[in-house]
Structure formats: structure tokens, C-alpha cells
Amino acid sequence: MNFMPAAPIVSMDTTAHYAIRHFTDEDGLPQNSVKGIVPDKNGFLWLATENGLTRFDGNYFLNFNSDNVPGLKSSRMARIYPCDTAIAAETDIGQILTVTESKVKHIGNEMLGYKYQQYVATQNDYYPIRGWPDDYGAHFAKERPIVLPGNTDNYFKVDHDTISAVKDGRVVYRMIQPKLDLLHLFVCNSQLFYLRKDGQIIKWEKERPVNMSLTGDLLSDAAFGKGKMELFWNLPAQQVFVYVDHNCYQLQPAAGDRIHSSMVIRDFDLHQHYVTSVYYDRLNSRVFLGSSTKGLYICTRQQFKVRKTDNSEAEVFYAQAPFPGNAVVTTSGLTFNQNGKYNWRSSSFNREGALEKYTLARDRQGRYWGRAGMTLVGISPDFSQVFRKIELPYLINQVYTDQEGILWVGGKYPGLYYMKTADPGQALQFLKAAVEDVTYIKEGPPGILWIGSSNGLYRVHLPSGRTDTIRGLEGGFVRSIYIPQAGEIWITTYNRGVFLYRNEKLVALPQDRQQYMATTHCITEDEQGYFWLTTNKGLFSIRRQDALDFADGKQRDLFYYYFGKDQGFNTNEFNGGCEPCAFQYDNGDISLPSLDGLVQFAPSSIRMELPDKGIYIDWVEHNLKLTSTGERFDLPNNFRTFRVHVSSPYFGDSRNLQFYYSLEKADEEEEQQIWLPVSSDRTITFSSLPSGEYRIHIRKLKGFGRDQYIEKVIAIHIQQAFYEKGWFRLAIFIVLICLVVVFYKIRLRHIREKNQQLELKVMSRTRELEETMTILRESDKQLRKQSFMHERLLAAITHDIKTPLRFLLRVNKDEPSSGVLQEKEIKTVTYDSLYRMHHLVDNLIHYMRTSFLTGEFSEETVDIYQVVEEKMEIFGPVSGSKGIEIINNITPETTVMVNKLLLAVVLHNLLDNAIKYTARGYVELSAERDDRILTIHVLDMGSGMPEPVMNWINQTANEGSAHFGGAGIGLILVKELLTLINGRLLVKPGINGGTRISLLLHLNGG
């Protein structure tokens, strides 16, 4: 901070300042010559130009000319006439345009009222004045009378030095007034006035002149009555202005022969800008100036004052504190009183260790506390010297004094320091609270301290220091805290907007459309219950009760009123991050720190220009072609685009006028409408909507309060396409039924064909499966046979081959201890063993062949007698050696159709078993037959067959089965072969002992 020497109190400029907006053809104005300005009853402004009659809503121009008005032959407007019920404008060829409902609705050749105002170019005609200035008035006054309008049926005719009052075409009275300056005559409230060169104003009551008493702002103008004065008379708006030395004043007749003057604009050269028409909006302190060559100027009086000094380096302001004399002081020792006068205090202490700008607190003793890095600095009440410095272990962020006079200090690191300022010798004490990087400190109810930080909001309980973290603001950078009453905490944040914490519930206020309020520095409340919120992009005002209602769910939207730079700020960027973040004088005036000066204002004197006018449809476009406007539109089904342009007269900041729209179908109930913002060009566009009835809701918030909406509803009917009509749907229904029937039949036939194919496939697969199962069963049977054969082979080899071989080895070994056998006995035993081994091998070969044989066996006629005889020759030596007689009682030529080889194997094994188990005696073979069966009996005199073996042979279920462990390989082979020769065995004991085996052979395949 630069050192500033003491200086006397300096007065600030209190002159009214204006924000000027300039519109030309580059901004939408159809042409730069504005010949007349008049408002309509809806709030629009109408401009007469040389390229049409133009309606202005504050941001957009809607022009009516020969291009878009049927029947209009010329777009060159000559004048706007006074009219009590409508606005009437005349073209250069005498056509009259009549404006009703803020649209040009009629084109004619005669006036609806003020008919005498129409100019007819004849030699004896009079010239009607269009107001002042009038380029042709002075010229025509030399040739013919001129007419000053009174009302619809009376006027004042001026002919040289004679003034005549005319009513209904008759002269009511005359006055002789020599040396009158025609350009100083004007009419107000149907009365004629005259402005003299010395500033005196005369009114005529019939023939009698009356001197008017002038009051108001004009009297304080130094040039009044001395310099050149000019009248600017806006005839259609019925307003009269006096222009003196670059200042313009409005004249208004008042009661008691008085006429009041009001400042309209200061320091604006009307001649330099070729101004020919002036209109003043008194309610909003706004003047409209129409130029003959430079378009339209709009001058709005600025409502805010900026307090600055002559030192350009001292204009960035942050913390402020109250100063004696209803003034405010900054950390640099600069004070401003309520009238804007400033003074530099004796701030010699700033030579070393200047106070930083961001925090300044005043205690109950009137002393000030600030920071300088890690040093807490105490300043005397007159802000002239430092009385105390205290070093802290960390950087100081904010300093705050509560109602009890306790000074609180928060910094970068955890904890708070505090000190009772009433005790001058007390040292800072440490409070262990879970807060750090403190950005704002605010006292709550007794025993509560609210702390804002760069990481959220905290509630500290005193004196314990217990700290609560407020949920929902974690990670949020708190800029300021405002507590209007207990339990109601308002929080502003960096990049997250404004919050209300109440009843342990955190509610975020909605953002403005431009998101300017995302970073809100400070909340200051005025006496009317309005919040003033500073941001980096301007100043906002909101009604506190509206915000509370929104938090309680009683209100859907919030209306924010925006103030921008054109309201008097040097910059839209206000400053925050300081404490206090704003200052309020004793009388309620507010002082706000900005990047360029202190912005100060009296809230009660600030007028908010609310967007409370109606919503209007300017034009409608269907498939890029303009169509007639209205509140209902019929559109074809295949339309491509449908555009609606809306407007509402508003001449304040355009950010306060926000349109939203919603589209809903008439036959559908919407639970909650979806509102979309209308684009910046105020055009709503739709394309390709389905057929049906629709409603377009267009609305805006018109001001503060609950649900303060203005809404416009447009109905749209989208015609049905041919395919949506009843006859088409019926035809489609019939066709669909036919198609379903045809499809059903085709499908049914297809299914039948598929079923047939499936049946064939199933049959084929079934056959294949059966064949496979047969093969598998046969394979299983063969495997079982092979397994059994392996077992029998192993058993036979072990018992019938290995045992005889061992016996042969023993008897043929020349061992003395074995005994001496007779040579004949040895030969006999050897032969018998070898024969049995041969017979066993032969049976094994036959068995193996039978087991692996597939296919059919050939049959032939076999003589049983001959087969038996052949077998007897084979077994003769064996039976003879044992003394056994084989008897063949079979009749010769006993024949049967059978496979001879298989039958021979069966007889061989049966005869072998009979001889093997007979010690002495005989073996008899006989045969008998009937028509069906040939039976061959084999009877032996042996020891007999075991009963289990007999049972196994006699059971027919065992035919072809080899699953019996007590039978030899011969019997097993016989049982296997019986199925192949269509035979079976029956066994029973013999009559005189032994066994009788009967072989039954079925004849003729029976």
C-alpha cells in the first residue's frame, strides 16, 4: 500500500451520469433516419423511419414496410400523428398506417382522428405542424397558415401575427401577437403556451395571456434565460422539452399556473447527433433520442455512485469498517462519508508493514484490527497509529470481533486464536477447533461460532471448541456467511453458488441463467428485505422471503434482478474474499468493494425496472415462409420447421428478461412440465412433430414474489397423415387380417411338411438306432462270449492240458525213486493223455470257430448212423483200453437236415463225456423220431452226472449260454452249438446207473 499524505476533505462529483446505448442499421434498425418516437399502451416504442414504421421492444426491431405489409406502396414514413386510441403514421404519399394491439392492422388514406392534421398540397391550404423541430414549418409559415393541434376536433391556426382557436371548423376566438417566434409555441393539455427568450412562459386562457411560474431543475441551469433555448416538441407523445446548453429538460404544466421542469439528460449535444425527436420515460429515468442521420440513442440515468480518489493506485477495495461521522474506512486509512467526500487519515504506520486489504475489524472500544502477514495489528480509533502488534505462528486470514467484544483470529493452520479486547493487556489464547484455512468468521447464537473455510463450513461450540462439519459443503470454498436471525445461515461460495442452512438442512439456491452467481462474494440485506449479492459479473438483488419460500418448497423459481456496469459501476467485477465483505451506513446505505472503486447506493432509491409487460408473438414462420400470427396454427403433417418469435417490451438489462417454453400434448397429462430456455434470438423452433393437438407455453418471471409468471399459450394442430386416418387404418387392418390368414395357411402347410420330414427323419433315426442297438447287443454278446471263452480257455489249459503234461513228464522221467512201470502201461497212459489233449485242443478249435462265426451255416442231409460209426472208430482205441463197448443201435439211413460238421462236434463231445466217466461197461447210442423231432440217446454206465450240471443242461433258458462254472469245455461247446443246429439236450439218470443224454433235433426248422 502506498503511503498517502494527509489531505483535506475532497468533494466527489454528484452530477447525474447516463448509460448510452446507440442503435443504427447495423444493430437492426431498418434505417438511420428516425423522424418520430411514440410508445404504445403495451410498452413498445414506435419509430418512424424512411424504411418503414418500426416497433422496438428494447432489444429487437420489428419493421413494417412495403415488403411485409400488404397494400403499403411506400416505406418512407413522413410523420407520426397524435391519436387518443391508436398510433397513426403517414407515408410520403399520404397512406395512413394504424397501429393496434402493437401491430400494423390497417392501411388507409384518412385519419381516424385529428383529420385536420393531414396535409393537402393546395395553394390555400394550411400546413399542420408535426412537432418541433419541423424542417418545413418556418418555410410554410411565410406562405400559408400553420396548424398546432389541440385535440381531435380543435386546433390553433397561426397566420403571421394572428392566432385563431378553431373548433369543429369554426373560429372560437382570435389573438393578435406580433413578433412571435413560431418555433417557441407549443400545446399541452389543449392549451397554447409560448416560451419567451428570457425564459418566461406564457399560457393563453382564450384571449388572455397568463404568466406561468416555472419550477424545477431548469432554474438551476446557469444558461437558462441567457443562452439560446430551443423547443423539442414530441407531438404524438404529447411531451415538450427545453434544450439549453447541452442540457435537456421536460416541461409539464402543474396546478396553480405553474409549469415544472425536470432534467432529462445532461451534457449531451443534440445538434451534434442531429436529434430531431425526443421521448422521455419518466418512470425509469430514460430518454430516447431519434436522429435524422445517426439512428436511435437511449440514455438511462445511472443509479449507483462509485467512490474514488484521485490516486489511481488506491481504487481496488476490499475490507471496510465503520468510522466516526457515519463514514467508512479502508485498511489504507481512506475514509468516505455518506455524501462521497473522502479523506486520507494520518496513516503514518503504513510506512512499515502496511495493513493488508482483506480484513478489518472494529472492537467495542472503537479500535481497529488488521493483519500484516503473520502479525495481528491494532490501530487507534482515529486510524492514526499502531498501538499493538502480536506475532502468530501462522499466516492470518481473517479477523473478527463478536458482540461480546472478543476478537477472533483464523489462519491457514488448525485452530483459532481469541482475545478479550476489553482487557488491554490480555494475550491471545488458542482454541483447539478442527478448522483451518479460515475464509470467514461469523457469530451465531450464544456459544456458537460459524467458520467458513476453503474446504467447507463448520460450527464451533464455545468454549469447548467441539467442531461440527456441515454436510453438503465439503470441499466448497466459503466466501461469506450471513445470519439474519438464529437458525438461518446464508452461505456464499466460490463456483458453487448460494446456500441456505436451516433446520439442519442445506438448500442450494438456483443459479441465474448466465451462471454469474456461481461465485457470489457477499450478501447484504436492506431494510425492505432484499438481498444484494456481489459477483465477478455484476450485482444481483433477490427478495429474502422468496428465497425462504423456495427453500421450503412453496415457490418453484426465483427472480433475480441484475444490475450491470451500465447502472453506474466502473466494472462488473466486485471483490470478495474479505471480511467484512460489505458495509452498511447507519441510514441503510450500502457500500460494496469493487475492482475499481467503492460502489455506494441507497437501496430505497434504487428502482428495479421489472419485466412485467405481456408476451407477444412477433412473427410465425412455417417451412421458412412467414404466416399470419395468432394463437392457433394448423400445420400439415409433413412440415419441416415451425418457428415462433416472441417479444416483450423491456428496456432494462436484457438479462432480467428470460423466456422459457414448454411443449405439451393436449390429450396427455404431464406430471411435471419441462421448461427450456428460449434462445438469445427469442425464436422457438420445432420440426417433425407427430399429429395431434399441442400447446406451446411461453412464460417469464415478471418480478419478485411467489409464482409471478406471465404466460402465453399457443395452440398447434398437426394434421393427420393419410396413413393415420380411419379409412387407411381400416384398410391396413383388413390387409393385415388377410396377410395373417395367408401366413397362417402357408405356415401350417410348412409345419405339416416339416412334420412329415421330421417323421421320416425320426423313422430313419429310429431304424438306425435299432440297428445300432442290435449291433451293440450283438457286440455285447460277442464280448461276453469272448470273455467267457478266455476264462474257459484258461481253465481248460490249466486243468486239461497242464495236468496231463505234468503227468507225462513225471512218468517219462528216469528217476529211481519213481518206481518201475511196465512199458505197456506207460504207452497206454501216454496215449490216453495225448488223446485227451488232442481231443481238448480239437474242442477248443471248434469252440473258437463257433464263437467267432457269423452268418448262416449250410445244411445238408446227414446220415446219423454213418456219423456215429465214424466217431466209434475214433473212440475205439480209448474205449477198448478201458474195456468199454460202444453200441450203435441207430437204424441205418436215419437222416436229418442239419450242418454235418456241427452235429459231428456235438456227438463227438457227448460220446467223449460218456466214455470219460464210464469205468467199465458199455455206451449205447440209439435214435427215435416222430413228425417233428429226431431224438438221439446216449446212455453210459458211468458214475453219473452231478445234479447242478444236469439242471443247467435241462434249463432251456441256458441254451446258447456258457455261464456255468461246473461244466467242461465240451459241454459248453455243445450248449453253444445247439442253437445253431436247432436242437436241445435233456439229461436224466440212467436205469442201471450212469447218465442218459438225449439230443433233440427239430425237423423242418420247427
Side-chain angles (χ1 to χ4, degrees), residues 743-953:
F743 176 77
Y744 174 76
K745 290 183 176 181
I746 294 174
R747 184 65 177 168
L748 186 60
R749 186 175 64 182
H750 179 70
I751 290 174
R752 287 174 178 171
E753 293 175 354
K754 286 286 187 181
N755 287 339
Q756 292 175 357
Q757 295 176 4
L758 184 59
E759 288 176 0
L760 293 174
K761 288 183 178 180
V762 170
M763 292 174 62
S764 175
R765 293 293 177 88
T766 303
R767 190 161 48 248
E768 292 176 0
L769 287 174
E770 289 176 350
E771 294 174 355
T772 303
M773 289 300 296
T774 302
I775 294 171
L776 289 174
R777 283 196 292 269
E778 290 297 327
S779 298
D780 182 66
K781 184 177 179 181
Q782 292 295 329
L783 288 173
R784 291 178 184 272
K785 286 182 178 181
Q786 291 178 22
S787 177
F788 180 74
M789 181 188 69
H790 294 159
E791 293 176 0
R792 298 309 302 169
L793 285 174
L794 182 60
I797 292 170
T798 302
H799 181 268
D800 296 334
I801 297 178
K802 186 178 180 181
T803 301
L805 285 174
R806 188 187 305 117
F807 178 75
L808 288 175
L809 290 172
R810 185 177 62 82
V811 300
N812 286 285
K813 186 176 181 182
D814 188 13
E815 292 181 355
S817 60
S818 65
V820 178
L821 299 176
Q822 294 293 329
E823 181 178 353
K824 183 179 180 180
E825 291 176 351
I826 293 173
K827 289 182 179 179
T828 300
V829 172
T830 302
Y831 175 80
D832 185 61
S833 298
L834 291 174
Y835 172 77
R836 292 186 179 281
M837 291 172 59
H838 167 75
H839 180 62
L840 176 62
V841 171
D842 187 58
N843 277 338
L844 288 174
I845 292 171
H846 284 296
Y847 178 67
M848 292 175 65
R849 286 178 180 175
T850 303
S851 299
F852 290 102
L853 192 60
T854 60
E856 298 291 335
F857 292 96
S858 63
E859 292 183 348
E860 58 182 309
T861 301
V862 178
D863 188 340
I864 302 300
Y865 177 81
Q866 290 295 333
V867 174
V868 171
E869 286 296 322
E870 292 174 0
K871 295 302 177 183
M872 289 174 64
E873 291 180 2
I874 296 173
F875 288 102
V878 176
S879 63
S881 65
K882 294 178 69 175
I884 299 172
E885 180 183 5
I886 302 174
I887 303 171
N888 183 2
N889 289 332
I890 299 173
T891 304
E893 297 183 355
T894 301
T895 60
V896 67
M897 287 292 294
V898 71
N899 186 278
K900 184 179 181 180
L901 175 63
L902 298 181
L903 180 61
V905 172
V906 172
L907 291 175
H908 183 100
N909 280 280
L910 292 177
L911 189 58
D912 177 66
N913 280 335
I915 296 171
K916 181 169 48 174
Y917 293 105
T918 300
R920 291 190 181 275
Y922 62 90
V923 174
E924 180 183 3
L925 289 90
S926 60
E928 60 180 335
R929 65 183 304 168
D930 58 21
D931 295 337
R932 296 174 56 209
I933 298 174
L934 173 64
T935 304
I936 301 173
H937 301 286
V938 179
L939 177 64
D940 64 59
M941 300 297 291
S943 58
M945 187 178 293
E947 186 176 355
V949 178
M950 293 175 60
N951 293 335
W952 174 71
I953 294 174

Side-chain angles (χ1 to χ4, degrees), residues 166-204:
V166 181
K167 182 177 179 63
D168 294 330
R170 296 185 304 104
V171 176
V172 179
Y173 58 88
R174 288 189 177 88
M175 300 175 291
I176 306 300
Q177 296 291 329
K179 299 182 180 179
L180 284 178
D181 186 349
L182 181 67
L183 302 180
H184 281 204
L185 286 171
F186 62 94
V187 177
C188 277
N189 300 333
S190 299
Q191 291 183 308
L192 184 63
F193 292 86
Y194 180 70
L195 175 63
R196 290 173 26 176
K197 293 182 179 180
D198 59 359
Q200 180 67 45
I201 299 176
I202 299 174
K203 177 183 73 173
W204 280 280

